[in-house]
Amino acid sequence: MSDTQARPTLISCGGVHDPADTAVFERLPGRLVTLTTRLAPSPDDPRLGLSVRRFLPTKGRRMVGAWCFVDHFGPGDVSSTEGMLLAPHPHIGLQTVTWLLEGEVLHLDSIGSRQPIRPGQLNLMTAGNGISHAEESPQPRPARLHGLQLWVALPDRSRAEPAAFEHHEELPVLPLPGLSAVVLMGTLAGVTSPATTHTPLVGAVVDVQAGAGFDGYTAWLPLQRLFEYAVLVIEGEVSLDGQALDDSELVYLGHGRVGVELTSGPGAQFLLLGGEPFREEILMWWNFIGRSHGEIVSARALWNAHAPRFGAVVGARSSRLPAPPMPSGALRSRGRR
Ligand code: MN
């Protein structure tokens, strides 16, 4: 995934400012963004065939643990459109986490990975000091596309490591009364994903059985007190601690919870994100996460100069995406919100 704004803003996030230190319930609405980079349509352009909603970063909150970017794309029919067509673009200082619910996407990167991803599988790309990649709907392809892309900020001690790519076809499932959770990243209730993480966190997709929490029992999702959490409904409707949620908003839950009580209609599914608050202050701009303005300026210049730091993506269907201009103004206010 790439930030496709023509003039992305520089956002300061992380650090010790303003983390919720108690349990809260904040509704953070998503917004429509563009996905394909060749057509550059408006978000509701019918050629795209796919809506993309971005939930992080938002004005209300920049991070949840080390999670700093959340896109939910589809569900939609991409049979008569370009589908996903993200031209080669660079990343530094983060991991990209891709999870599909329907369809197929081909990942190509500058360290030689060429990996289709299908529903139930995880693609994890660790950018480290620099990588470039493309994400494309393959040809031919299933008509439907539906998925999530998430970014995880790397801590300072890991971010200079070489770029890496992992594909996981088998992920552990945590069975609970009324629920089952596929653990994509990190640990949930003692069940740990094989995917490489660099800070204490969790990412899980939770299926809620029809009628969970009714009929005299409680569907309870265990959490850990030291993590902050957020929940994003993928499908259906879920009530959490008695409050109804749908797929239009990310709900930030804050800290200090040992669990949440759930009830559900038929076939609901949601994403759980959590982690220890990310104490380092970071700067996000376009597809880069750094620690200083100068570092971002340098990464941008090197990408646009075709420097070897970002390698080359072989076999992509579209030519590389140039970095947009940087804003001349000052940073947005610091802090987690
Ligand atoms: Mn990307």
Side-chain angles (χ1 to χ4, degrees):
M1 203 59 71
S2 172
D3 185 337
T4 50
Q5 298 175 84
R7 300 192 75 89
T9 48
L10 191 57
I11 301 173
S12 171
C13 40
V16 296
H17 313 276
D18 208 5
D21 55 5
T22 181
V24 296
F25 191 95
E26 291 176 7
R27 296 178 184 270
L28 304 167
R31 61 188 192 282
L32 284 172
V33 295
T34 60
L35 179 63
T36 195
T37 54
R38 185 199 281 174
L39 296 173
S42 67
D44 56 355
D45 190 313
R47 289 176 300 180
L48 188 58
L50 195 66
S51 72
V52 184
R53 283 162 294 167
R54 183 158 301 160
F55 295 91
L56 282 183
T58 108
K59 278 185 181 146
R61 187 152 294 276
R62 307 269 165 79
M63 297 180 83
V64 177
W67 300 99
C68 59
F69 179 99
V70 175
D71 268 5
H72 182 190
F73 50 92
D77 184 334
V78 294
S79 56
S80 61
T81 71
E82 296 272 16
M84 185 178 285
L85 187 60
L86 282 159
H89 60 272
H91 289 287
I92 60 171
L94 58 86
Q95 294 176 295
T96 66
V97 177
T98 309
W99 175 259
L100 291 191
L101 300 137
E102 293 180 274
E104 184 174 336
V105 171
L106 176 64
H107 165 94
L108 301 157
D109 68 36
S110 58
I111 56 171
S113 316
R114 181 182 179 89
Q115 179 63 58
I117 181 172
R118 300 184 181 97
Q121 304 175 348
L122 181 78
N123 271 4
L124 174 65
M125 184 180 80
T126 302
N129 188 47
I131 196 168
S132 53
H133 74 148
E135 293 159 292
E136 303 177 346
S137 290
Q139 292 175 312
R141 60 177 179 256
R144 307 270 300 168
L145 183 60
H146 185 194
L148 297 163
Q149 190 171 98
L150 317 166
W151 295 357
V152 178
L154 291 172
D156 196 50
R157 65 175 184 280
S158 312
R159 68 195 188 96
E161 288 177 14
F165 178 77
E166 299 169 24
H167 175 75
H168 295 280
E169 298 203 359
E170 304 259 333
L171 292 161
V173 178
L174 169 69
L176 292 167
L179 315 170
S180 69
V182 182
V183 184
L184 313 185
M185 294 279 286
T187 301
L188 181 63
V191 173
T192 300
S193 163
T196 302
T197 56
H198 296 267
T199 53
L201 57 78
V202 65
V205 171
V206 182
D207 277 294
V208 191
Q209 287 165 15
F214 297 108
D215 302 328
Y217 78 98
T218 300
W220 176 257
L221 180 66
L223 302 176
Q224 44 178 311
R225 210 181 276 281
L226 294 179
F227 278 18
E228 55 180 350
Y229 290 95
V231 165
L232 175 68
V233 171
I234 298 168
E235 253 183 313
E237 285 186 14
V238 177
S239 288
L240 195 147
D241 287 345
Q243 308 209 53
L245 321 183
D246 64 27
D247 63 3
S248 66
E249 58 197 2
L250 181 77
V251 173
Y252 177 68
L253 299 174
H255 255 99
R257 293 176 186 263
V258 294
V260 282
E261 199 176 306
L262 297 160
T263 53
S264 171
Q269 190 173 62
F270 66 89
L271 173 70
L272 173 75
L273 296 178
E276 282 184 5
F278 198 80
R279 301 289 181 189
E280 297 174 28
E281 290 187 1
I282 62 176
L283 284 176
M284 275 183 83
W285 178 81
W286 193 47
N287 298 316
F288 300 138
I289 291 180
R291 296 296 184 278
S292 70
H293 185 268
E295 191 187 326
I296 303 276
V297 168
S298 166
R300 177 187 176 276
L302 289 172
W303 169 251
N304 281 351
H306 297 230
R309 177 174 174 182
F310 295 104
V313 180
V314 176
R317 283 202 282 134
S318 47
S319 55
R320 27 182 287 149
L321 187 66
M326 280 195 75
S328 52
L331 292 183
R332 279 193 188 179
S333 63
R334 307 181 79 83
R336 303 182 61 76
R337 287 161 174 265

